[in-house]
């Protein structure tokens, strides 16, 4: 579940996830991110999800694991572009 494209520009990896990601889909995403950035140091992950991506409940732990693994692989920052729907949910949670 879920599709994505990746675009590495310098030391910034832009990802464009779309659809609903289940656990296997998120694991595939994580592997692609790690493969694309192998050998880089001090890089940034910029996720452009907008309102086009979602997670199933079994995928949430994999998202946390993804962020932990990219940090161990030289990622120094993670940016997430979210659309109005997710922004409202985030604001409501804080």
């Amino acid at each position: 579940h879920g599709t994505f494209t990746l675009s590495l520009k310098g030391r910034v990896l832009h990802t464009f996830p779309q659809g609903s990601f289940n656990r296997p889909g998120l694991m595939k995403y994580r592997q692609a991110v790690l493969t694309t950035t192998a050998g880089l140091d001090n890089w940034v992950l910029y996720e452009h999800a907008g309102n086009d991506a979602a997670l199933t409940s079994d995928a949430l732990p994999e998202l946390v694991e993804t962020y932990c693994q990219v940090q161990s692989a030289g990622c120094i920052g993670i940016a997430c572009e979210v659309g109005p729907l997710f922004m409202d949910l985030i604001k409501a949670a804080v």
Side-chain angles (χ1 to χ4, degrees), residues 50-54 82-92:
N51 282 331
D52 297 328
V82 296
L85 173 63
F86 288 114
M87 183 60 71
D88 290 344
L89 292 172
I90 292 168
K91 286 181 181 178

Side-chain angles (χ1 to χ4, degrees), residues 15-89:
T15 68
F16 302 89
Q18 293 185 325
S20 181
F21 283 79
N22 61 5
R23 185 174 182 265
L26 199 52
M27 292 170 69
K28 182 178 176 183
Y29 170 81
R30 177 173 61 229
Q31 187 57 49
V33 167
L34 293 171
T35 298
T36 302
T37 57
L40 287 181
D41 287 321
N42 301 319
W43 58 276
V44 173
L45 174 62
Y46 191 166
E47 296 179 315
H48 301 270
N51 282 331
D52 297 328
L55 297 173
T56 61
S57 59
D58 70 327
L60 187 55
E62 292 302 328
L63 181 62
V64 173
E65 181 62 21
T66 295
Y67 292 154
C68 290
Q69 285 193 29
V70 299
Q71 180 182 1
S72 296
C75 180
I76 59 170
I78 299 170
C80 299
E81 176 185 347
V82 296
L85 173 63
F86 288 114
M87 183 60 71
D88 290 344
L89 292 172

